[in-house]
Amino acid sequence: MDIKELKASVIGEVEAHRHQLRDLSLKIHSAPELGFQEVKAAGWLSQYLEKNGFHLERGICELATAFRGRYGEGRPAIAILAEYDALPKLGHACGHNLIAGSAVGAALASKPAIDRCGGSILVIGTPAEELYGGKIIMAERGAFDKVDMAMMVHPGAHDTATTQALACLSLEVEFFGKAAHASTRPETGINALEAMLISFAAINSLRQHTKDKSRIHGIITDGGEAANVVPAHSAGSFLVRAEDDAYLDELKEKVLNCFVGAAAATGARLEYQWGKGRYAPLRNNLTLARLFRQNMRSLGRKVQLSGSSRVGSTDMGNVSQIVPSIHPTVAIAPEEVVIHSSDFASAAASEEGIKGMLDSAKALAMTVVDLLANPEIVTKVKQEFGQGK
Ligand SMILES: [Zn+2]
Ligand SMILES: [Zn+2]
């Protein structure tokens, strides 16, 4: 069987599972679960994989809703990552139900390629992308140590083979002041809210002088209790993002100084805590991305190598620092529909969404064929990864 025939057979496998994949993704969509609570989604996905000949390990990395399904024993071991967590209030407004369906579909479809060429295919179920960065924890706990490369496709508004994602760190801040009557004895108070407002002003001044693609944004979670009481406490949550790790370290200090300065100005005491999980920037393996693009194009999609300059962060960044990775985007909605909106949640359950999921599964499985049938491409993928280190 040549590569062309093998690709035709993996496409046929996705088609054979299309109704079940559709049902799985719509079922997850209609029962949205938040990060680390994805009991139903993880259960349904692992059950379907097991039913189709995959060896399943549930609750890996000491995370109840993480799992690993494996078919084949050899190397290369190619991991397809599934996400399945939803957003508070918005449900599947990031379309992770489609990521789950495409991962399972791609893995099932890869079976003929494994049978024929050797190697192994893994579905790694990675919970809590949105709220806790599940892959950061899983990467630390060794989930990707025996993996040769990792791939996943995220839904969006464009077909692109690479994604830009920033290094990102969270910061929790509190100011402690002193309450007083705001009118009769203001001179005895220490205003914790003013410290927070000065911090925002200082960050806004800093923003003019930061490098491109840096992002600093936050919210006030406590701004006092009553207008006639000098706020004794204020609190805020912030995210600091940068294009690379070195600049994030630099920016971190500058942002912190905004709060330190505000504490000095007001006399309020500052307490802060940087987030434990740090999102790494995404390294796109271009050898893999080009293969994927070619396979998507063969399905009739006009895929660009790189897309919009709109940048967020993803825990796939941390995986991409350990193994060669891709995180392409598949278009399931028009450009004006932004992710994390209720319109995008609808798109994630639409026929266009299902088509995007099935095309992603096919292109991923075809990329698996390219890799398994051409050991020299695997070498090239690894060389590129090694050079970037
Ligand atoms: Zn999201
Ligand atoms: Zn997402």
Side-chain angles (χ1 to χ4, degrees), residues 20 23-33 38-52 56 58 67 84 92 100 104:
Q20 292 89 334
D23 288 352
L24 264 177
S25 69
L26 293 181
K27 206 152 72 166
I28 295 171
H29 189 278
S30 61
E33 297 165 300
E38 316 94 326
V39 182
K40 286 182 193 155
W44 290 327
L45 297 166
S46 37
Q47 213 171 33
Y48 194 61
L49 285 164
E50 201 163 43
K51 205 177 122 193
N52 284 281
L56 255 294
R58 294 171 168 88
F67 66 87
Y84 30 81
H92 275 287
V104 167

Side-chain angles (χ1 to χ4, degrees), residues 193-205:
L193 175 61
E194 288 299 333
M196 189 59 81
L197 297 177
I198 291 170
S199 306
F200 270 84
I203 287 168
N204 287 336
S205 299

Side-chain angles (χ1 to χ4, degrees), residues 83 87 93-96 129-130 154 313 339-340:
E83 295 176 1
L87 287 157
C94 208
H96 293 186
E129 195 281 326
E130 297 285 1
H154 198 294
S313 302
I339 61 168
H340 292 199

